[in-house]
Amino acid sequence: MRQLRKSVILLPLTILFWVWGCGGSDLTGGSVPPGNPGQTRLIGTVVDEEEPTTPLADAEVEIVLEDGTRITTKTDASGMFSVEIPRGKRFTLRVQPPISLAAFYQEQVDSFVADADEIRLLIPISRKGVMMPVFAGLRIYPEEVTLRVRESVQFQIDLQPSPHRPVRPIWSVHGGIGVITPDGLFIATRAGEGFVRVRIGSLQAEAKVTVQPD
């Protein structure tokens, strides 16, 4: 089994500015008040898979709860959207590219569970003509980590079989403890316990993350 070194480092200011700059205060984690009791605040950022620093504004987002309830919204200029859904419910998330870019991007459909008071999703949208390979296994490293507010850790994934081209997974942070970049760099923003999850197709892996006060 490939050994990967765990690394917990202080976040370089340039990366911190990039994360905070893509979407303003909604990406800072610590400045977001918790949702209503019994609710999950779902915050998503939709980006171009090949150029993940490029947000997709005006993408259409549809959330379908397991009871059939539908919630629709659109991404803002920074590619972000935010909705509240009942906690503990399974839901399907459908993202359609902006109408002006429908000829270039594919629709993205995935299923999730609202298992925390806050979930942050980073959703890469593939361009048309790009086929997602089928994988048999997915793991995330490190699988458990403890760090302090404003520190970061680089998560890595192991796919079997190894991909022939770079694959941009869907990253999510559960529990309101931080944010994550398209390359898997997690930045702690608030003390607490939560998870970082990675999803590729039907495969999913998660890492337990504990953030201690600064």
Side-chain angles (χ1 to χ4, degrees):
M1 180 183 297
R2 184 177 60 181
Q3 297 294 321
L4 295 175
R5 179 171 59 91
K6 293 184 179 180
S7 61
V8 178
I9 58 174
L10 283 174
L11 176 66
L13 288 178
T14 53
I15 297 177
L16 185 61
F17 291 155
W18 181 86
V19 173
W20 286 359
C22 292
S25 62
D26 248 347
L27 275 180
T28 62
S31 64
V32 178
N36 296 328
Q39 295 290 104
T40 290
R41 187 178 186 193
L42 180 66
I43 304 168
T45 303
V46 180
V47 299
D48 183 312
E49 182 188 41
E50 294 186 16
E51 299 178 13
T53 58
T54 301
L56 294 185
D58 292 324
E60 297 184 2
V61 179
E62 181 184 56
I63 297 164
V64 182
L65 304 180
E66 55 189 351
D67 64 1
T69 300
R70 295 176 181 270
I71 302 170
T72 59
T73 186
K74 285 190 175 183
T75 57
D76 62 16
S78 62
M80 295 188 67
F81 67 90
S82 177
V83 298
E84 285 198 346
I85 59 178
R87 186 167 176 176
K89 300 292 185 181
R90 182 174 295 277
F91 63 94
T92 298
L93 177 70
R94 183 187 304 272
V95 180
Q96 295 182 331
I99 295 177
S100 60
L101 299 176
F104 303 100
Y105 291 97
Q106 303 182 45
E107 179 184 69
Q108 177 76 44
V109 181
D110 285 280
S111 295
F112 302 90
V113 176
D115 57 359
D117 59 346
E118 178 185 291
I119 300 175
R120 290 176 178 265
L121 289 168
L122 185 56
I123 308 167
I125 301 298
S126 301
R127 299 187 184 185
K128 286 191 173 179
V130 178
M131 298 298 294
M132 175 66 71
V134 177
F135 299 101
L138 170 65
R139 297 191 67 179
I140 185 172
Y141 300 93
E143 295 180 341
E144 184 172 350
V145 66
T146 299
L147 64 167
R148 294 185 179 277
V149 173
R150 292 197 295 273
E151 290 184 335
S152 66
V153 59
Q154 178 69 58
F155 284 103
Q156 300 184 51
I157 59 174
D158 180 23
L159 278 168
Q160 296 297 329
S162 297
H164 298 294
R165 57 177 288 271
V167 175
R168 298 283 183 186
I170 295 178
W171 292 100
S172 59
V173 179
H174 301 243
I177 54 174
V179 295
I180 198 162
T181 71
D183 294 325
L185 181 68
F186 170 80
I187 304 123
T189 59
R190 190 168 66 191
E193 293 186 352
F195 294 89
V196 167
R197 290 195 176 120
V198 60
R199 184 184 182 96
I200 297 178
S202 62
L203 300 177
Q204 178 177 287
E206 69 177 33
K208 181 179 179 180
V209 180
T210 301
V211 179
Q212 299 177 341
D214 187 8

mmCIF file of all heavy atoms in Angstrom, residues 140-186:
data_model
loop_
_atom_site.group_PDB
_atom_site.id
_atom_site.type_symbol
_atom_site.label_atom_id
_atom_site.label_comp_id
_atom_site.label_asym_id
_atom_site.label_seq_id
_atom_site.Cartn_x
_atom_site.Cartn_y
_atom_site.Cartn_z
ATOM 1 N N ILE A 140 -8.900 7.982 0.732
ATOM 2 C CA ILE A 140 -8.432 9.333 1.022
ATOM 3 C C ILE A 140 -7.353 9.255 2.089
ATOM 4 O O ILE A 140 -7.421 8.432 3.008
ATOM 5 C CB ILE A 140 -9.608 10.226 1.490
ATOM 6 C CG1 ILE A 140 -9.151 11.680 1.684
ATOM 7 C CG2 ILE A 140 -10.252 9.688 2.757
ATOM 8 C CD1 ILE A 140 -10.298 12.640 1.963
ATOM 9 N N TYR A 141 -6.318 10.105 1.962
ATOM 10 C CA TYR A 141 -5.222 10.156 2.934
ATOM 11 C C TYR A 141 -4.958 11.605 3.305
ATOM 12 O O TYR A 141 -4.968 12.472 2.421
ATOM 13 C CB TYR A 141 -3.944 9.558 2.338
ATOM 14 C CG TYR A 141 -4.062 8.125 1.929
ATOM 15 C CD1 TYR A 141 -4.415 7.783 0.616
ATOM 16 C CD2 TYR A 141 -3.823 7.103 2.833
ATOM 17 C CE1 TYR A 141 -4.518 6.465 0.231
ATOM 18 C CE2 TYR A 141 -3.919 5.773 2.446
ATOM 19 C CZ TYR A 141 -4.264 5.466 1.142
ATOM 20 O OH TYR A 141 -4.368 4.150 0.758
ATOM 21 N N PRO A 142 -4.686 11.918 4.582
ATOM 22 C CA PRO A 142 -4.808 11.038 5.747
ATOM 23 C C PRO A 142 -6.275 10.744 6.056
ATOM 24 O O PRO A 142 -7.160 11.507 5.675
ATOM 25 C CB PRO A 142 -4.167 11.847 6.872
ATOM 26 C CG PRO A 142 -4.336 13.273 6.441
ATOM 27 C CD PRO A 142 -4.243 13.282 4.954
ATOM 28 N N GLU A 143 -6.522 9.654 6.765
ATOM 29 C CA GLU A 143 -7.893 9.263 7.098
ATOM 30 C C GLU A 143 -8.395 9.910 8.378
ATOM 31 O O GLU A 143 -9.599 9.906 8.641
ATOM 32 C CB GLU A 143 -7.988 7.737 7.223
ATOM 33 C CG GLU A 143 -7.713 7.010 5.905
ATOM 34 C CD GLU A 143 -7.801 5.522 6.041
ATOM 35 O OE1 GLU A 143 -7.711 5.026 7.190
ATOM 36 O OE2 GLU A 143 -7.984 4.838 5.018
ATOM 37 N N GLU A 144 -7.483 10.456 9.169
ATOM 38 C CA GLU A 144 -7.855 11.170 10.387
ATOM 39 C C GLU A 144 -6.772 12.188 10.695
ATOM 40 O O GLU A 144 -5.576 11.893 10.573
ATOM 41 C CB GLU A 144 -8.038 10.201 11.552
ATOM 42 C CG GLU A 144 -8.524 10.854 12.835
ATOM 43 C CD GLU A 144 -8.881 9.842 13.920
ATOM 44 O OE1 GLU A 144 -8.932 8.640 13.613
ATOM 45 O OE2 GLU A 144 -9.107 10.265 15.074
ATOM 46 N N VAL A 145 -7.188 13.392 11.088
ATOM 47 C CA VAL A 145 -6.209 14.446 11.334
ATOM 48 C C VAL A 145 -6.752 15.414 12.369
ATOM 49 O O VAL A 145 -7.966 15.624 12.476
ATOM 50 C CB VAL A 145 -5.876 15.193 10.017
ATOM 51 C CG1 VAL A 145 -7.087 15.946 9.500
ATOM 52 C CG2 VAL A 145 -4.705 16.134 10.203
ATOM 53 N N THR A 146 -5.842 15.979 13.175
ATOM 54 C CA THR A 146 -6.174 17.026 14.141
ATOM 55 C C THR A 146 -5.307 18.244 13.847
ATOM 56 O O THR A 146 -4.079 18.107 13.668
ATOM 57 C CB THR A 146 -5.932 16.545 15.588
ATOM 58 O OG1 THR A 146 -6.780 15.421 15.860
ATOM 59 C CG2 THR A 146 -6.239 17.645 16.584
ATOM 60 N N LEU A 147 -5.912 19.405 13.785
ATOM 61 C CA LEU A 147 -5.162 20.629 13.528
ATOM 62 C C LEU A 147 -5.871 21.798 14.206
ATOM 63 O O LEU A 147 -6.912 21.624 14.826
ATOM 64 C CB LEU A 147 -5.009 20.881 12.030
ATOM 65 C CG LEU A 147 -6.266 21.132 11.188
ATOM 66 C CD1 LEU A 147 -5.847 21.669 9.815
ATOM 67 C CD2 LEU A 147 -7.083 19.879 10.979
ATOM 68 N N ARG A 148 -5.259 22.960 14.127
ATOM 69 C CA ARG A 148 -5.806 24.150 14.770
ATOM 70 C C ARG A 148 -6.399 25.089 13.725
ATOM 71 O O ARG A 148 -6.094 24.984 12.537
ATOM 72 C CB ARG A 148 -4.717 24.874 15.577
ATOM 73 C CG ARG A 148 -4.202 24.065 16.765
ATOM 74 C CD ARG A 148 -3.220 24.870 17.600
ATOM 75 N NE ARG A 148 -2.749 24.091 18.743
ATOM 76 C CZ ARG A 148 -3.401 23.972 19.897
ATOM 77 N NH1 ARG A 148 -4.559 24.615 20.053
ATOM 78 N NH2 ARG A 148 -2.920 23.242 20.885
ATOM 79 N N VAL A 149 -7.230 26.008 14.208
ATOM 80 C CA VAL A 149 -7.809 27.013 13.328
ATOM 81 C C VAL A 149 -6.691 27.754 12.599
ATOM 82 O O VAL A 149 -5.668 28.091 13.183
ATOM 83 C CB VAL A 149 -8.683 28.001 14.137
ATOM 84 C CG1 VAL A 149 -9.152 29.160 13.261
ATOM 85 C CG2 VAL A 149 -9.881 27.274 14.741
ATOM 86 N N ARG A 150 -6.899 27.961 11.296
ATOM 87 C CA ARG A 150 -5.971 28.628 10.377
ATOM 88 C C ARG A 150 -4.848 27.714 9.907
ATOM 89 O O ARG A 150 -4.008 28.144 9.116
ATOM 90 C CB ARG A 150 -5.408 29.932 10.959
ATOM 91 C CG ARG A 150 -6.462 31.026 11.111
ATOM 92 C CD ARG A 150 -5.802 32.387 11.273
ATOM 93 N NE ARG A 150 -5.049 32.483 12.505
ATOM 94 C CZ ARG A 150 -5.582 32.847 13.665
ATOM 95 N NH1 ARG A 150 -6.861 33.150 13.749
ATOM 96 N NH2 ARG A 150 -4.859 32.927 14.750
ATOM 97 N N GLU A 151 -4.804 26.476 10.379
ATOM 98 C CA GLU A 151 -3.861 25.518 9.806
ATOM 99 C C GLU A 151 -4.532 24.780 8.648
ATOM 100 O O GLU A 151 -5.747 24.877 8.452
ATOM 101 C CB GLU A 151 -3.376 24.524 10.867
ATOM 102 C CG GLU A 151 -2.459 25.140 11.906
ATOM 103 C CD GLU A 151 -1.922 24.110 12.882
ATOM 104 O OE1 GLU A 151 -2.581 23.069 13.073
ATOM 105 O OE2 GLU A 151 -0.850 24.362 13.467
ATOM 106 N N SER A 152 -3.731 24.054 7.885
ATOM 107 C CA SER A 152 -4.275 23.340 6.730
ATOM 108 C C SER A 152 -3.640 21.964 6.619
ATOM 109 O O SER A 152 -2.604 21.685 7.223
ATOM 110 C CB SER A 152 -4.002 24.136 5.443
ATOM 111 O OG SER A 152 -2.609 24.181 5.177
ATOM 112 N N VAL A 153 -4.282 21.114 5.853
ATOM 113 C CA VAL A 153 -3.754 19.788 5.576
ATOM 114 C C VAL A 153 -4.093 19.438 4.136
ATOM 115 O O VAL A 153 -5.182 19.732 3.649
ATOM 116 C CB VAL A 153 -4.321 18.729 6.549
ATOM 117 C CG1 VAL A 153 -5.828 18.660 6.477
ATOM 118 C CG2 VAL A 153 -3.705 17.350 6.274
ATOM 119 N N GLN A 154 -3.141 18.842 3.450
ATOM 120 C CA GLN A 154 -3.335 18.450 2.061
ATOM 121 C C GLN A 154 -3.863 17.021 1.992
ATOM 122 O O GLN A 154 -3.166 16.071 2.334
ATOM 123 C CB GLN A 154 -2.021 18.544 1.278
ATOM 124 C CG GLN A 154 -2.129 18.106 -0.167
ATOM 125 C CD GLN A 154 -2.965 19.066 -0.992
ATOM 126 O OE1 GLN A 154 -2.644 20.254 -1.069
ATOM 127 N NE2 GLN A 154 -4.032 18.567 -1.599
ATOM 128 N N PHE A 155 -5.118 16.874 1.567
ATOM 129 C CA PHE A 155 -5.669 15.543 1.369
ATOM 130 C C PHE A 155 -5.309 15.042 -0.025
ATOM 131 O O PHE A 155 -5.255 15.808 -0.986
ATOM 132 C CB PHE A 155 -7.188 15.554 1.542
ATOM 133 C CG PHE A 155 -7.622 15.642 2.981
ATOM 134 C CD1 PHE A 155 -8.080 16.836 3.505
ATOM 135 C CD2 PHE A 155 -7.557 14.534 3.812
ATOM 136 C CE1 PHE A 155 -8.474 16.936 4.832
ATOM 137 C CE2 PHE A 155 -7.948 14.613 5.142
ATOM 138 C CZ PHE A 155 -8.402 15.816 5.650
ATOM 139 N N GLN A 156 -5.067 13.750 -0.094
ATOM 140 C CA GLN A 156 -4.774 13.104 -1.362
ATOM 141 C C GLN A 156 -5.688 11.900 -1.520
ATOM 142 O O GLN A 156 -6.198 11.360 -0.543
ATOM 143 C CB GLN A 156 -3.310 12.668 -1.426
ATOM 144 C CG GLN A 156 -2.330 13.827 -1.287
ATOM 145 C CD GLN A 156 -0.900 13.407 -1.454
ATOM 146 O OE1 GLN A 156 -0.547 12.746 -2.424
ATOM 147 N NE2 GLN A 156 -0.054 13.781 -0.504
ATOM 148 N N ILE A 157 -5.899 11.496 -2.771
ATOM 149 C CA ILE A 157 -6.762 10.357 -3.029
ATOM 150 C C ILE A 157 -5.987 9.280 -3.778
ATOM 151 O O ILE A 157 -5.011 9.559 -4.478
ATOM 152 C CB ILE A 157 -8.012 10.756 -3.834
ATOM 153 C CG1 ILE A 157 -7.625 11.367 -5.185
ATOM 154 C CG2 ILE A 157 -8.874 11.713 -3.035
ATOM 155 C CD1 ILE A 157 -8.821 11.635 -6.090
ATOM 156 N N ASP A 158 -6.436 8.051 -3.584
ATOM 157 C CA ASP A 158 -5.856 6.900 -4.278
ATOM 158 C C ASP A 158 -6.986 6.223 -5.037
ATOM 159 O O ASP A 158 -7.955 5.753 -4.430
ATOM 160 C CB ASP A 158 -5.225 5.941 -3.271
ATOM 161 C CG ASP A 158 -4.604 4.727 -3.945
ATOM 162 O OD1 ASP A 158 -4.277 4.824 -5.142
ATOM 163 O OD2 ASP A 158 -4.451 3.690 -3.273
ATOM 164 N N LEU A 159 -6.885 6.203 -6.360
ATOM 165 C CA LEU A 159 -7.896 5.594 -7.216
ATOM 166 C C LEU A 159 -7.375 4.305 -7.810
ATOM 167 O O LEU A 159 -6.210 4.213 -8.198
ATOM 168 C CB LEU A 159 -8.278 6.548 -8.347
ATOM 169 C CG LEU A 159 -9.292 7.645 -8.031
ATOM 170 C CD1 LEU A 159 -9.326 8.664 -9.160
ATOM 171 C CD2 LEU A 159 -10.665 7.049 -7.809
ATOM 172 N N GLN A 160 -8.232 3.301 -7.869
ATOM 173 C CA GLN A 160 -7.899 2.039 -8.510
ATOM 174 C C GLN A 160 -8.939 1.707 -9.573
ATOM 175 O O GLN A 160 -10.131 1.699 -9.269
ATOM 176 C CB GLN A 160 -7.841 0.911 -7.454
ATOM 177 C CG GLN A 160 -6.753 1.101 -6.424
ATOM 178 C CD GLN A 160 -5.364 1.084 -7.014
ATOM 179 O OE1 GLN A 160 -5.129 0.399 -8.030
ATOM 180 N NE2 GLN A 160 -4.446 1.824 -6.414
ATOM 181 N N PRO A 161 -8.488 1.458 -10.826
ATOM 182 C CA PRO A 161 -7.121 1.597 -11.320
ATOM 183 C C PRO A 161 -6.708 3.064 -11.437
ATOM 184 O O PRO A 161 -7.570 3.949 -11.409
ATOM 185 C CB PRO A 161 -7.193 0.944 -12.700
ATOM 186 C CG PRO A 161 -8.614 1.150 -13.127
ATOM 187 C CD PRO A 161 -9.433 1.038 -11.884
ATOM 188 N N SER A 162 -5.418 3.308 -11.540
ATOM 189 C CA SER A 162 -4.923 4.678 -11.624
ATOM 190 C C SER A 162 -5.446 5.344 -12.891
ATOM 191 O O SER A 162 -5.436 4.746 -13.972
ATOM 192 C CB SER A 162 -3.390 4.686 -11.628
ATOM 193 O OG SER A 162 -2.888 4.157 -10.426
ATOM 194 N N PRO A 163 -5.923 6.583 -12.777
ATOM 195 C CA PRO A 163 -6.472 7.269 -13.958
ATOM 196 C C PRO A 163 -5.385 7.665 -14.941
ATOM 197 O O PRO A 163 -4.227 7.905 -14.566
ATOM 198 C CB PRO A 163 -7.153 8.497 -13.357
ATOM 199 C CG PRO A 163 -6.418 8.750 -12.076
ATOM 200 C CD PRO A 163 -6.021 7.394 -11.558
ATOM 201 N N HIS A 164 -5.760 7.742 -16.205
ATOM 202 C CA HIS A 164 -4.824 8.160 -17.254
ATOM 203 C C HIS A 164 -4.811 9.668 -17.438
ATOM 204 O O HIS A 164 -3.936 10.205 -18.115
ATOM 205 C CB HIS A 164 -5.187 7.475 -18.577
ATOM 206 C CG HIS A 164 -5.086 5.979 -18.537
ATOM 207 N ND1 HIS A 164 -3.889 5.317 -18.367
ATOM 208 C CD2 HIS A 164 -6.044 5.018 -18.614
ATOM 209 C CE1 HIS A 164 -4.095 4.013 -18.364
ATOM 210 N NE2 HIS A 164 -5.391 3.795 -18.508
ATOM 211 N N ARG A 165 -5.808 10.342 -16.849
ATOM 212 C CA ARG A 165 -5.877 11.802 -16.920
ATOM 213 C C ARG A 165 -6.304 12.320 -15.553
ATOM 214 O O ARG A 165 -6.902 11.581 -14.764
ATOM 215 C CB ARG A 165 -6.893 12.265 -17.982
ATOM 216 C CG ARG A 165 -8.284 11.737 -17.758
ATOM 217 C CD ARG A 165 -9.269 12.291 -18.796
ATOM 218 N NE ARG A 165 -9.543 13.686 -18.570
ATOM 219 C CZ ARG A 165 -10.515 14.137 -17.787
ATOM 220 N NH1 ARG A 165 -11.297 13.291 -17.112
ATOM 221 N NH2 ARG A 165 -10.719 15.427 -17.654
ATOM 222 N N PRO A 166 -5.972 13.570 -15.238
ATOM 223 C CA PRO A 166 -6.378 14.115 -13.938
ATOM 224 C C PRO A 166 -7.893 14.043 -13.746
ATOM 225 O O PRO A 166 -8.658 14.298 -14.678
ATOM 226 C CB PRO A 166 -5.887 15.569 -14.005
ATOM 227 C CG PRO A 166 -4.793 15.558 -15.018
ATOM 228 C CD PRO A 166 -5.184 14.534 -16.028
ATOM 229 N N VAL A 167 -8.307 13.678 -12.539
ATOM 230 C CA VAL A 167 -9.729 13.573 -12.216
ATOM 231 C C VAL A 167 -10.040 14.573 -11.105
ATOM 232 O O VAL A 167 -9.371 14.583 -10.068
ATOM 233 C CB VAL A 167 -10.092 12.145 -11.764
ATOM 234 C CG1 VAL A 167 -11.543 12.087 -11.310
ATOM 235 C CG2 VAL A 167 -9.852 11.156 -12.890
ATOM 236 N N ARG A 168 -11.035 15.403 -11.328
ATOM 237 C CA ARG A 168 -11.461 16.375 -10.320
ATOM 238 C C ARG A 168 -12.651 15.805 -9.555
ATOM 239 O O ARG A 168 -13.750 15.721 -10.095
ATOM 240 C CB ARG A 168 -11.861 17.684 -10.975
ATOM 241 C CG ARG A 168 -10.744 18.384 -11.733
ATOM 242 C CD ARG A 168 -9.798 19.086 -10.808
ATOM 243 N NE ARG A 168 -8.772 19.803 -11.561
ATOM 244 C CZ ARG A 168 -7.744 20.411 -11.002
ATOM 245 N NH1 ARG A 168 -7.608 20.384 -9.677
ATOM 246 N NH2 ARG A 168 -6.844 21.039 -11.733
ATOM 247 N N PRO A 169 -12.474 15.397 -8.321
ATOM 248 C CA PRO A 169 -13.590 14.843 -7.555
ATOM 249 C C PRO A 169 -14.480 15.939 -6.986
ATOM 250 O O PRO A 169 -14.147 17.130 -7.042
ATOM 251 C CB PRO A 169 -12.883 14.093 -6.432
ATOM 252 C CG PRO A 169 -11.635 14.876 -6.207
ATOM 253 C CD PRO A 169 -11.206 15.376 -7.559
ATOM 254 N N ILE A 170 -15.601 15.537 -6.429
ATOM 255 C CA ILE A 170 -16.443 16.446 -5.654
ATOM 256 C C ILE A 170 -15.968 16.373 -4.204
ATOM 257 O O ILE A 170 -16.047 15.325 -3.576
ATOM 258 C CB ILE A 170 -17.931 16.055 -5.747
ATOM 259 C CG1 ILE A 170 -18.426 16.223 -7.187
ATOM 260 C CG2 ILE A 170 -18.766 16.907 -4.798
ATOM 261 C CD1 ILE A 170 -19.871 15.816 -7.376
ATOM 262 N N TRP A 171 -15.467 17.475 -3.688
ATOM 263 C CA TRP A 171 -15.050 17.564 -2.292
ATOM 264 C C TRP A 171 -16.182 18.163 -1.471
ATOM 265 O O TRP A 171 -16.909 19.043 -1.947
ATOM 266 C CB TRP A 171 -13.823 18.456 -2.137
ATOM 267 C CG TRP A 171 -12.558 17.931 -2.715
ATOM 268 C CD1 TRP A 171 -11.991 18.270 -3.913
ATOM 269 C CD2 TRP A 171 -11.670 16.975 -2.118
ATOM 270 N NE1 TRP A 171 -10.816 17.595 -4.104
ATOM 271 C CE2 TRP A 171 -10.586 16.785 -3.015
ATOM 272 C CE3 TRP A 171 -11.678 16.260 -0.925
ATOM 273 C CZ2 TRP A 171 -9.537 15.920 -2.756
ATOM 274 C CZ3 TRP A 171 -10.635 15.392 -0.659
ATOM 275 C CH2 TRP A 171 -9.575 15.226 -1.554
ATOM 276 N N SER A 172 -16.321 17.717 -0.233
ATOM 277 C CA SER A 172 -17.302 18.331 0.660
ATOM 278 C C SER A 172 -16.748 18.370 2.076
ATOM 279 O O SER A 172 -16.016 17.469 2.499
ATOM 280 C CB SER A 172 -18.642 17.595 0.628
ATOM 281 O OG SER A 172 -18.499 16.237 1.004
ATOM 282 N N VAL A 173 -17.091 19.439 2.792
ATOM 283 C CA VAL A 173 -16.700 19.611 4.192
ATOM 284 C C VAL A 173 -17.977 19.611 5.020
ATOM 285 O O VAL A 173 -18.882 20.404 4.770
ATOM 286 C CB VAL A 173 -15.927 20.924 4.406
ATOM 287 C CG1 VAL A 173 -15.566 21.085 5.873
ATOM 288 C CG2 VAL A 173 -14.666 20.959 3.546
ATOM 289 N N HIS A 174 -18.049 18.723 6.012
ATOM 290 C CA HIS A 174 -19.244 18.554 6.821
ATOM 291 C C HIS A 174 -18.968 18.999 8.257
ATOM 292 O O HIS A 174 -17.977 18.581 8.855
ATOM 293 C CB HIS A 174 -19.674 17.084 6.822
ATOM 294 C CG HIS A 174 -19.955 16.543 5.447
ATOM 295 N ND1 HIS A 174 -21.196 16.101 5.062
ATOM 296 C CD2 HIS A 174 -19.144 16.385 4.359
ATOM 297 C CE1 HIS A 174 -21.140 15.686 3.800
ATOM 298 N NE2 HIS A 174 -19.906 15.845 3.369
ATOM 299 N N GLY A 175 -19.849 19.858 8.790
ATOM 300 C CA GLY A 175 -19.713 20.265 10.177
ATOM 301 C C GLY A 175 -19.297 21.704 10.385
ATOM 302 O O GLY A 175 -19.086 22.129 11.523
ATOM 303 N N GLY A 176 -19.138 22.482 9.306
ATOM 304 C CA GLY A 176 -18.810 23.896 9.459
ATOM 305 C C GLY A 176 -17.432 24.166 10.017
ATOM 306 O O GLY A 176 -17.225 25.179 10.685
ATOM 307 N N ILE A 177 -16.467 23.278 9.758
ATOM 308 C CA ILE A 177 -15.132 23.415 10.349
ATOM 309 C C ILE A 177 -14.107 24.018 9.408
ATOM 310 O O ILE A 177 -12.984 24.309 9.825
ATOM 311 C CB ILE A 177 -14.609 22.042 10.834
ATOM 312 C CG1 ILE A 177 -14.657 21.021 9.699
ATOM 313 C CG2 ILE A 177 -15.413 21.568 12.040
ATOM 314 C CD1 ILE A 177 -14.028 19.687 10.037
ATOM 315 N N GLY A 178 -14.446 24.205 8.134
ATOM 316 C CA GLY A 178 -13.467 24.755 7.222
ATOM 317 C C GLY A 178 -13.919 24.711 5.780
ATOM 318 O O GLY A 178 -15.088 24.449 5.477
ATOM 319 N N VAL A 179 -12.972 24.971 4.895
ATOM 320 C CA VAL A 179 -13.215 24.962 3.453
ATOM 321 C C VAL A 179 -12.137 24.120 2.788
ATOM 322 O O VAL A 179 -11.138 23.745 3.415
ATOM 323 C CB VAL A 179 -13.202 26.391 2.868
ATOM 324 C CG1 VAL A 179 -14.355 27.209 3.419
ATOM 325 C CG2 VAL A 179 -11.876 27.085 3.163
ATOM 326 N N ILE A 180 -12.342 23.819 1.500
ATOM 327 C CA ILE A 180 -11.383 22.989 0.794
ATOM 328 C C ILE A 180 -11.226 23.508 -0.632
ATOM 329 O O ILE A 180 -12.176 24.040 -1.227
ATOM 330 C CB ILE A 180 -11.817 21.503 0.806
ATOM 331 C CG1 ILE A 180 -10.639 20.581 0.465
ATOM 332 C CG2 ILE A 180 -13.014 21.260 -0.101
ATOM 333 C CD1 ILE A 180 -10.855 19.143 0.871
ATOM 334 N N THR A 181 -10.026 23.392 -1.182
ATOM 335 C CA THR A 181 -9.745 23.843 -2.539
ATOM 336 C C THR A 181 -9.961 22.697 -3.514
ATOM 337 O O THR A 181 -10.061 21.530 -3.116
ATOM 338 C CB THR A 181 -8.294 24.341 -2.657
ATOM 339 O OG1 THR A 181 -7.400 23.214 -2.578
ATOM 340 C CG2 THR A 181 -7.965 25.340 -1.562
ATOM 341 N N PRO A 182 -10.006 22.987 -4.820
ATOM 342 C CA PRO A 182 -10.199 21.922 -5.807
ATOM 343 C C PRO A 182 -9.119 20.848 -5.772
ATOM 344 O O PRO A 182 -9.347 19.715 -6.221
ATOM 345 C CB PRO A 182 -10.178 22.677 -7.144
ATOM 346 C CG PRO A 182 -10.614 24.059 -6.804
ATOM 347 C CD PRO A 182 -10.044 24.327 -5.442
ATOM 348 N N ASP A 183 -7.943 21.175 -5.245
ATOM 349 C CA ASP A 183 -6.850 20.206 -5.179
ATOM 350 C C ASP A 183 -6.804 19.445 -3.853
ATOM 351 O O ASP A 183 -5.859 18.699 -3.596
ATOM 352 C CB ASP A 183 -5.508 20.907 -5.414
ATOM 353 C CG ASP A 183 -5.391 21.447 -6.831
ATOM 354 O OD1 ASP A 183 -5.910 20.796 -7.757
ATOM 355 O OD2 ASP A 183 -4.807 22.528 -7.008
ATOM 356 N N GLY A 184 -7.805 19.643 -2.988
ATOM 357 C CA GLY A 184 -7.875 18.873 -1.751
ATOM 358 C C GLY A 184 -7.162 19.488 -0.573
ATOM 359 O O GLY A 184 -6.908 18.800 0.418
ATOM 360 N N LEU A 185 -6.850 20.770 -0.624
ATOM 361 C CA LEU A 185 -6.219 21.441 0.507
ATOM 362 C C LEU A 185 -7.316 21.930 1.452
ATOM 363 O O LEU A 185 -8.092 22.828 1.097
ATOM 364 C CB LEU A 185 -5.354 22.608 0.054
ATOM 365 C CG LEU A 185 -4.625 23.355 1.187
ATOM 366 C CD1 LEU A 185 -3.549 22.477 1.809
ATOM 367 C CD2 LEU A 185 -4.036 24.671 0.682
ATOM 368 N N PHE A 186 -7.390 21.344 2.645
ATOM 369 C CA PHE A 186 -8.388 21.732 3.627
ATOM 370 C C PHE A 186 -7.833 22.829 4.513
ATOM 371 O O PHE A 186 -6.704 22.741 5.008
ATOM 372 C CB PHE A 186 -8.785 20.533 4.494
ATOM 373 C CG PHE A 186 -9.636 20.905 5.679
ATOM 374 C CD1 PHE A 186 -10.997 21.136 5.521
ATOM 375 C CD2 PHE A 186 -9.078 21.033 6.942
ATOM 376 C CE1 PHE A 186 -11.786 21.486 6.608
ATOM 377 C CE2 PHE A 186 -9.856 21.379 8.032
ATOM 378 C CZ PHE A 186 -11.210 21.609 7.868
#
